[in-house]
Amino acid sequence: MRGLLVVNPKATTTSARTRDVLAGALRSEMELTVGFTRRRGHGFDLARDAAAGGVDVVVALGGDGTVNEVVNGLMAAQRGPQTPALAVVPGGSTNVFVRALGLPRYAVDATSVILKALRRGTSRRVSLGLADDRYFTFCAGLGLDAAVVRRVEQARRKGRRSTPGLYLRSTLGQYFVEGRRAPGITLEQGGTEPAEGLANVIVQNTAPWTYLGDRPIHASPRASFDSGLDVLALQALHLPSTLHTVTQMLAHQPDDPDERGDVTGKKIMVRHDLAEFVVRCATPQAFQLDGDYLGEREKVKFTAVPGALRVIC
């Protein structure tokens, strides 16, 4: 078996020594090449070239941004059923995709699970979301949540660590400074009336939406790798209704997706298991995929891609 380990050397929770140990362990099961990302987008290039070259497994060691780049590189190779399997070793601060798969959040423990799966030959197919021409593994957003991601990235470029406290401060700052302005977002789904006057849109490919430390945050609790895309949209960002929504998102939810209840409220729109829809904005809005800020957009087409990728887990 041939494998590529894509390493983000700036991953926040792994050291050079840990990376060497993990690479050595993976070499016990495959002929392994190691590629280090040198710039934003480099993970895409490494994964695409590996897929085109016939590699069997690509292992991503890094955070959700690294995983997103690797996934997009694998899909860009257009190998169809011959697309390499993906394995993920968590190395970021949040690691939503890894935890949504049910893998341990620590690198050594996750590697142990991956090695056992490789020996048994076990894997699973997961769906992906597609936003225009870019795939995402767990979430996308337009409006407030994406603007918060932008603030966090700006803080990290200034040397701040990505912590739950940083996200909380960024959220409060964004909301009270400019987050309550009406951006005029519309969701268009074939066969239904457009949903107009939305203030923020969160799209999920699985649950949870994200984590606050160890605590999962559920915007669309029924979202699953085995169904289409789910949407939670806020129709207003008034303080009482927004606090009510946040409280529900933080509330405990059962492990079984079928037992989870939707977030409810007069200013909330919920959609479950969508195959395709378009989001339009009256003015350009902040846009994020898998926790990475991608600039501002006026229109994004979202598509669910069932069973798109084989994951070792």
Side-chain angles (χ1 to χ4, degrees):
M1 182 183 297
R2 295 173 59 210
L4 169 69
L5 174 61
V6 177
V7 178
N8 178 1
K10 296 182 180 179
T12 57
T13 58
T14 57
S15 64
R17 179 179 175 80
T18 301
R19 293 193 295 266
D20 290 342
V21 170
L22 299 181
L26 291 168
R27 285 194 173 98
S28 69
E29 297 297 324
M30 67 182 75
E31 179 186 333
L32 186 71
T33 301
V34 180
F36 291 89
T37 59
R38 306 299 182 190
R39 61 186 183 281
R40 189 165 185 169
H42 194 196
F44 173 96
D45 297 334
L46 292 171
R48 180 197 56 200
D49 294 346
V55 162
D56 301 295
V57 180
V58 174
V59 184
L61 171 54
D64 289 308
T66 300
V67 174
N68 182 276
E69 290 186 9
V70 168
V71 166
N72 276 274
L74 292 175
M75 299 301 290
Q78 299 183 342
R79 295 292 307 280
Q82 303 303 315
T83 299
L86 171 71
V88 182
V89 178
S93 57
T94 311
N95 305 304
V96 179
F97 181 61
V98 166
R99 295 158 81 175
L101 288 169
L103 290 170
R105 61 179 297 190
Y106 299 106
V108 173
D109 296 336
T111 302
S112 177
V113 172
I114 291 168
L115 290 172
K116 291 177 182 177
L118 288 170
R119 293 176 191 130
R120 293 194 301 261
T122 58
S123 62
R124 65 175 292 192
R125 283 273 170 188
V126 300
S127 65
L128 294 174
L130 183 63
D132 290 336
D133 58 354
R134 181 156 175 170
Y135 293 90
F136 59 99
T137 62
F138 64 92
C139 83
L142 283 147
L144 177 63
D145 79 306
V148 170
V149 171
R150 177 176 60 198
R151 277 183 172 246
V152 170
E153 290 195 2
Q154 290 170 345
R156 290 178 65 182
R157 284 196 291 269
K158 295 177 182 178
R160 303 286 297 278
R161 289 189 60 199
S162 181
T163 63
L166 176 58
Y167 276 92
L168 181 59
R169 290 190 295 273
S170 298
T171 300
L172 293 174
Q174 182 64 33
Y175 178 81
F176 286 107
V177 171
E178 56 182 304
R180 289 173 286 180
R181 299 174 184 172
I185 300 175
T186 300
L187 187 146
E188 301 172 354
Q189 180 190 356
T192 64
E193 287 292 320
E196 301 177 335
L198 305 177
N200 185 72
V201 173
I202 296 172
V203 183
Q204 285 184 232
N205 184 51
T206 190
W209 168 43
T210 188
Y211 286 85
L212 187 62
D214 291 331
R215 192 179 189 89
I217 301 179
H218 289 285
S220 295
R222 291 186 292 160
S224 167
F225 286 128
D226 300 317
S227 63
L229 300 174
D230 281 28
V231 177
L232 172 71
L234 305 183
Q235 297 171 323
L237 292 174
H238 302 144
L239 186 58
S241 60
T242 302
L243 286 175
H244 178 69
T245 301
V246 171
T247 299
Q248 291 187 73
M249 291 165 66
L250 286 169
H252 172 73
Q253 298 285 352
D255 292 333
D256 185 351
D258 294 332
E259 297 179 4
R260 296 172 184 165
D262 288 329
V263 175
T264 60
K266 294 181 180 180
K267 300 297 184 180
I268 291 174
M269 184 200 76
V270 174
R271 296 287 187 272
H272 174 60
D273 195 14
L274 302 185
E276 185 177 285
F277 58 94
V278 174
V279 176
R280 299 181 189 273
C281 309
T283 58
Q285 293 298 306
F287 175 55
Q288 65 89 7
L289 283 184
D290 285 347
D292 270 0
Y293 178 65
L294 298 182
E296 295 184 337
R297 300 287 181 90
E298 291 184 79
K299 174 187 174 184
V300 182
K301 179 181 178 180
F302 291 95
T303 308
V305 189
L309 195 61
R310 186 166 65 91
V311 180
I312 305 296
C313 58

